[in-house]
Amino acid sequence: MPLWLDLLIRIAAVMAGFLVLPLVIGQAEHKVMAHMQGRVGPMYAGAFHGWAQLVADGVKFVQKEDITPRDADRTIFRLAPIVALFPYLIVILTIPIGPGLVAQPLDIGLFLVLAVLGIGVVAVLMSAWASANKYSLLGGVRGAAQMLGYELPLVLAAASVAMAAGTLSLPGIVEAWRPWWLIWQAPAAVVFFVAGLAEIRRPPFDMPIADSELVFGYMTEYTGLRFAFFLLAEYVGIVVIAALTTVLFLGGWHGPFEDHLGWLWTLLKIFALSFVIIWFRVTYPRLREDQLQRLCWLILVPVALAQLVLTVAVKTLT
């Protein structure tokens, strides 16, 4: 296959996943929350169970007026939604879906993923500062404190499984995975998943938005497509955190007939974890700022450190 054609296919596959999977998760969130909360919700768009409601919402965002506050830093204000999306696009390039099914395999894939995910805090600070709005600024400060704090347990948990596998390559970690890791690396998996939710600011870790206190936090001044880009970044974040948890801790493509159906097992695990993320939104109330920081520094970080010590001990003895 010519190099240009191979590159074109890889780019097309990544863009399809980047645009389609978040929309599927968004539609699922609307319907799952509606059923869990006993709300009928919009059932007319698309006729069957309101399947086209998310498309209708997209058309609505396109039609809305694009407003930039008079006192805002216009360049930074307009760039922030793009910066919020960019890290997830890079991460999706490195996530293996099946044996040999990865857009860009890297020997240091996990290192790149963790480094790039940290860029998300830049988008939050850009939107908060450039909006020239006190509610946005408060939301940005909360977001920065939250994301910088939860980076530590996220990295420590990922380091544990990388040490167990003996590689930083994401496909290599999946190949080294064994079923008994479900027990051995379970604390690290829980820490990684919870810290990942805090990184993408999903409930109950949505203090940077806190609509009852800060209007809509760092997104308060955004309208139209730019606001839609922030929402898209949130749904892409769900896919990325679910995919990384699947690859690092749940065996990725491992399952019956994995040579032929490995991609299907990976997607099923991603959707199952995405369902759990939606379930958390319905079930748990928003954490206060002190509760959020206490969970990070007094629970997640010590558990991640203990797991890291355990992994070192097991690797040394074996």
Side-chain angles (χ1 to χ4, degrees):
M1 181 184 298
L3 179 60
W4 66 268
L5 182 57
D6 179 68
L7 182 61
L8 186 62
I9 292 175
R10 290 171 184 264
I11 293 175
V14 169
M15 291 305 298
F18 182 73
L19 295 175
V20 174
L21 288 178
L23 295 181
V24 174
I25 298 301
Q27 177 70 7
E29 180 171 60
H30 288 165
K31 296 305 176 183
V32 168
M33 288 180 64
H35 285 294
M36 285 184 171
Q37 296 175 337
R39 297 182 291 112
V40 175
M43 301 289 284
Y44 298 99
F48 178 73
H49 209 68
W51 67 267
Q53 183 59 45
L54 200 66
V55 178
D57 289 340
V59 174
K60 175 188 69 177
F61 281 124
V62 171
Q63 294 176 336
K64 280 180 175 275
E65 184 179 4
D66 182 16
I67 299 174
T68 302
R70 180 185 58 191
D71 297 328
D73 187 321
R74 293 177 176 271
T75 302
I76 297 178
F77 183 83
R78 292 171 178 172
L79 281 176
I82 300 174
V83 176
L85 279 169
F86 180 74
Y88 299 127
L89 179 60
I90 300 299
V91 170
I92 289 176
L93 284 171
T94 65
I95 295 178
I97 300 299
L101 295 178
V102 55
Q104 185 57 57
L106 295 172
D107 292 336
I108 57 168
L110 181 58
F111 177 81
L112 176 69
V113 164
L114 295 176
V116 170
L117 282 178
I119 298 176
V121 68
V122 177
V124 172
L125 290 174
M126 286 174 64
S127 60
W129 177 259
S131 294
N133 181 297
K134 62 181 180 181
Y135 296 110
S136 298
L137 185 58
L138 285 171
V141 172
R142 286 183 179 183
Q146 175 175 318
M147 296 172 73
L148 291 175
Y150 278 85
E151 278 285 326
L152 182 57
L154 186 80
V155 171
L156 290 174
S160 174
V161 73
M163 187 178 298
T167 178
L168 289 173
S169 167
L170 294 180
I173 291 173
V174 178
E175 291 170 358
W177 183 87
R178 296 294 181 268
W180 65 279
W181 286 19
L182 291 172
I183 299 176
W184 177 33
Q185 295 294 325
V190 173
V191 170
F192 185 90
F193 188 65
V194 172
L197 291 184
E199 284 289 301
I200 60 175
R201 302 167 298 284
R202 285 285 300 183
F205 303 99
D206 57 339
M207 279 299 290
I209 296 174
D211 50 293
S212 59
E213 305 170 22
L214 302 180
V215 186
F216 217 62
Y218 60 92
M219 292 189 285
T220 297
E221 297 291 354
Y222 283 89
T223 60
L225 274 179
R226 291 193 177 89
F227 182 77
F229 284 161
F230 272 117
L231 293 184
L232 179 61
E234 179 179 335
Y235 289 127
V236 179
I238 293 175
V239 173
V240 165
I241 294 301
L244 288 176
T245 305
T246 296
V247 167
L248 295 177
F249 300 101
L250 300 182
W253 62 74
H254 288 300
F257 309 106
E258 60 188 53
D259 291 336
H260 302 288
L261 298 178
W263 61 272
L264 179 60
W265 289 115
T266 301
L267 291 178
L268 286 176
K269 293 172 184 178
I270 290 174
F271 285 127
L273 288 175
S274 299
F275 174 82
V276 173
I277 293 174
I278 296 170
W279 194 353
F280 279 4
R281 177 173 183 175
V282 178
T283 305
Y284 293 102
R286 180 183 301 123
L287 293 176
R288 295 196 317 264
E289 188 65 28
D290 61 315
Q291 294 173 330
L292 188 146
Q293 295 297 336
R294 190 179 298 116
L295 174 64
C296 174
W297 295 106
L298 299 184
I299 298 178
L300 296 186
V301 171
V303 170
L305 286 172
Q307 176 66 54
L308 200 58
V309 172
L310 175 62
T311 301
V312 171
V314 171
K315 291 295 289 183
T316 302
L317 294 175
T318 56

